[in-house]
Amino acid sequence: GQQVMQIPQYQHVQEGEDFTTYCNSSTTLSNIQWYKQRPGGHPVFLIQLVKSGEVKKQKRLTFQFGEAKKNSSLHITATQTTDVGTYFCAGNFYNQGGKLIFGQGTELSVKP
Amino acid sequence: DAGVIQSPRHEVTEMGQEVTLRCKPISGHNSLFWYRQTMMRGLELLIYFNNNVPIDDSGMPEDRFSAKMPNASFSTLKIQPSEPRDSAVYFCASSPGQGISTDTQYFGPGTRLTVL
């Protein structure tokens, strides 16, 4: 079936260091969404990328969508303890309507 | 806006018992999704509805699981009989559109199910 692979599974950083998580699909995506789940919480929508090569920024977060629309990344500059949580990418494949396929997530821990 | 409401928030039951999870989507949203989250398998889509009609139930693990959406403001996920391997957090999510690909999904707080 269609899958979205996400790496790394865990990332431990010192506060102030940068962090990046990557998503890959073997099939071209219609769009990709990113969600954040705080410990004990539920996934919360961060952003959606639709266009090939698209780059979007939210303060210290930078999201990219690959030219072939098969990969995406989330980069956090100068992490803070409030960034702790699990970051999920979720791919939407063509002709799948509103169905999202979630990656396994990257759990980020930040040491103060 | 109250957001997606799920009940109960926690459920502990014994193997073989019937479990019913409930969800109230955001008012006006047309699509509803049921997910299961475990450490081993991550976040899995079980089933989703559009305008109260089941569109894709390919993620439902087996016949012990069933889901209904009798109206636009209520859905249930039932497990009968429950097994220890069903222990997980079950999320309900809703989205505003007609199941289109660019919809954002809004997740409820989840139900943590433990089957002993």
Side-chain angles (χ1 to χ4, degrees):
Chain A
Q2 291 160 328
Q3 287 185 314
V4 176
M5 307 302 294
Q6 188 173 357
I7 58 169
Q9 189 174 359
Y10 302 99
Q11 186 79 57
H12 309 284
V13 300
Q14 193 77 31
E15 189 173 22
E17 292 181 338
D18 292 356
F19 159 77
T20 305
T21 174
Y22 302 90
C23 275
N24 285 285
S25 168
S26 59
T27 310
T28 303
L29 297 166
S30 168
N31 61 77
I32 194 160
Q33 300 181 13
W34 285 89
Y35 290 76
K36 177 183 178 181
Q37 183 176 20
R38 293 184 186 277
H42 58 276
V44 175
F45 174 80
L46 292 176
I47 209 159
Q48 178 175 248
L49 303 170
V50 179
K51 300 177 183 176
S52 169
E54 189 169 15
V55 178
K56 287 188 177 180
K57 293 190 176 184
Q58 288 181 350
K59 298 182 180 178
R60 295 177 294 104
L61 278 61
T62 302
F63 303 84
Q64 293 188 325
F65 202 11
E67 293 291 339
K69 299 183 68 173
K70 290 185 177 181
N71 58 74
S72 181
S73 65
L74 158 59
H75 179 83
I76 302 178
T77 303
T79 54
Q80 300 175 359
T81 55
T82 53
D83 296 325
V84 164
T86 301
Y87 292 85
F88 292 95
C89 60
N92 188 281
F93 294 86
Y94 288 99
N95 302 317
Q96 292 292 305
K99 180 177 178 178
L100 290 175
I101 305 297
F102 279 80
Q104 284 292 92
T106 296
E107 183 178 341
L108 172 65
S109 64
V110 180
K111 187 176 181 181
Chain B
D1 192 339
V4 176
I5 299 172
Q6 290 187 247
S7 65
R9 294 293 306 276
H10 303 272
E11 177 81 25
V12 180
T13 190
E14 293 189 344
M15 182 173 64
Q17 297 297 307
E18 177 179 298
V19 175
T20 299
L21 311 181
R22 297 173 175 80
C23 175
K24 177 179 169 55
I26 294 172
S27 178
H29 281 195
N30 296 301
S31 296
L32 183 140
F33 306 80
W34 281 101
Y35 291 89
R36 176 173 68 176
Q37 186 174 42
T38 61
M39 289 295 293
M40 289 297 296
R41 301 175 68 88
L43 197 57
E44 304 174 275
L45 176 66
L46 300 177
I47 185 170
Y48 86 92
F49 296 83
N50 184 245
N51 291 327
N52 313 336
V53 176
I55 301 300
D56 186 337
D57 65 354
S58 59
M60 294 288 263
E62 48 196 273
D63 292 345
R64 297 185 297 106
F65 286 68
S66 62
K68 294 183 179 180
M69 192 165 186
N71 57 63
S73 58
F74 184 65
S75 178
T76 59
L77 178 67
K78 186 175 294 186
I79 309 172
Q80 165 64 19
S82 58
E83 296 182 3
R85 61 192 168 120
D86 301 330
S87 297
V89 179
Y90 290 81
F91 287 106
C92 175
S94 69
S95 66
Q98 299 293 333
I100 61 175
S101 64
T102 52
D103 279 347
T104 299
Q105 294 188 14
Y106 297 82
F107 283 74
T111 295
R112 182 173 295 277
L113 172 66
T114 303
V115 183
L116 302 175

